[in-house]
Amino acid sequence: MTKKTYIAGPCVIESAELLDEVARQLVAINCRLHTDIIFKASFDKANRTSIRSFRGPGLEKGLQMLADVKSRYGLRILTDIHESWQAAPVGEVVDVIQIPAFLCRQTDLLVAAAKTGRTVNIKKAQFLSGPDMVYPVEKAREAGASDVWLTERGNMFGYNNLVVDFRNIPDMKEIVPQVIMDCTHSVQRPGGSNGKTGGDRRFVPAMALAAKAFGATGWFFEVHPTPDAGLSDAANMLELDKLESLIGQLEQD
């Protein structure tokens, strides 16, 4: 069986208690399914729709909380950065640095992430095609990144909606061997819910299985024990107790 990559965790760091609850469940899934799920959470959601939206604990406190998860549970860690100066301190804690989709053309951000020596996961912009991602990858590689991933997360389809062209997955596999499907951000309705992003988590399993058919090598899920109470991306996050069953389906060759 080919080893698959899974990334899961809450959209934003809400509390240490939430991180512990999710991490314990990921460890349990790893033990039962023999997977190696990477833990994901953001220390600062700098791209929220409204200035009044919850952003997270910030860099210093957030990195300490992520380091605690790594130490306590032995999970690999992924988080995103929005400014180039964040790359160095983040690289001291995490295993994978993620570049947000709408920032994937920011040269200084890509270069700073690459210089940390960590894996760089670049999310495809909502306004780019799969083949367009050769240029962000080129920037990261020329800056020294040895391991670069690409992530599909849908394209804008008019206002406040996204659509996934699954042909982007094989197209991006011609650029890098590791192509991730972001199953939860792909069901967003950006800015389409009275000052916040809406979405429909019902379609998350279908996104995952369709991506498998198109050759995805990994899957990204934002999960929460009570998604509707989540402080960011509430409408899109998958219920934590549904994650194991879905990964079980993806593990079947």
Side-chain angles (χ1 to χ4, degrees):
M1 181 183 294
T2 302
K3 191 74 172 178
K4 301 176 176 69
T5 297
Y6 299 101
I7 302 162
C11 178
V12 65
I13 298 173
E14 299 178 14
S15 67
E17 292 75 18
L18 173 65
L19 298 190
D20 283 339
E21 182 175 357
V22 174
R24 284 194 298 268
Q25 181 66 8
L26 298 189
V27 169
I29 294 171
N30 281 338
C31 289
R32 287 191 288 263
L33 299 184
H34 307 291
T35 49
D36 181 22
I37 304 170
I38 300 169
F39 184 95
K40 180 269 171 186
S42 297
F43 58 83
D44 180 16
K45 299 299 292 185
N47 56 331
R48 298 301 306 277
T49 301
S50 170
I51 196 168
R52 290 176 290 278
S53 298
F54 179 78
R55 288 181 54 167
L59 178 71
E60 185 175 352
K61 184 176 180 181
L63 285 182
Q64 183 58 60
M65 295 170 80
L66 292 173
D68 289 345
V69 168
K70 187 173 188 176
S71 174
R72 189 175 298 123
Y73 299 101
L75 294 165
R76 290 188 291 161
I77 304 292
L78 175 150
T79 199
D80 42 354
I81 61 173
H82 291 82
E83 299 183 60
S84 55
W85 64 267
Q86 296 173 338
V90 168
E92 294 178 2
V93 173
V94 308
D95 302 275
V96 183
I97 296 178
Q98 184 165 276
I99 306 299
F102 62 93
L103 295 177
C104 74
R105 289 164 53 96
Q106 295 297 107
T107 302
D108 289 346
L109 192 65
L110 290 162
V111 168
K115 287 182 175 179
T116 66
R118 298 299 189 179
T119 296
V120 180
N121 182 34
I122 310 172
K123 299 183 79 172
K124 181 183 71 61
Q126 300 91 327
F127 49 84
L128 294 180
S129 71
D132 291 334
M133 294 304 293
V134 68
Y135 303 107
V137 170
E138 182 180 77
K139 291 177 183 180
R141 284 177 170 163
E142 291 197 10
S146 59
D147 192 22
V148 182
W149 303 350
L150 289 175
T151 293
E152 168 61 35
R153 51 99 70 244
N155 285 84
M156 292 305 300
F157 188 63
Y159 297 115
N160 307 126
N161 207 354
L162 296 171
V163 66
V164 176
D165 181 352
F166 288 96
R167 295 174 298 179
N168 284 326
I169 293 172
D171 282 345
M172 291 193 292
K173 285 180 71 177
E174 295 183 5
I175 304 170
V176 296
Q178 180 79 291
V179 175
I180 310 294
M181 180 66 204
D182 183 342
C183 304
T184 43
H185 286 99
S186 295
V187 301
Q188 280 183 334
R189 302 282 173 85
S193 185
N194 296 320
K196 59 183 180 181
T197 290
D200 194 338
R201 72 176 64 92
R202 291 180 303 157
F203 298 110
V204 169
M207 289 288 185
L209 294 171
K212 179 180 179 180
F214 276 85
T217 61
W219 290 264
F220 178 111
F221 303 102
E222 288 191 326
V223 295
H224 196 286
T226 53
D228 288 329
L231 300 182
S232 178
D233 271 357
N236 314 307
M237 287 191 287
L238 183 70
E239 296 94 337
L240 180 60
D241 61 8
K242 294 183 178 179
L243 180 63
E244 183 170 1
S245 174
L246 181 52
I247 289 180
Q249 293 181 66
L250 295 170
E251 280 290 287
Q252 296 175 11
D253 283 335

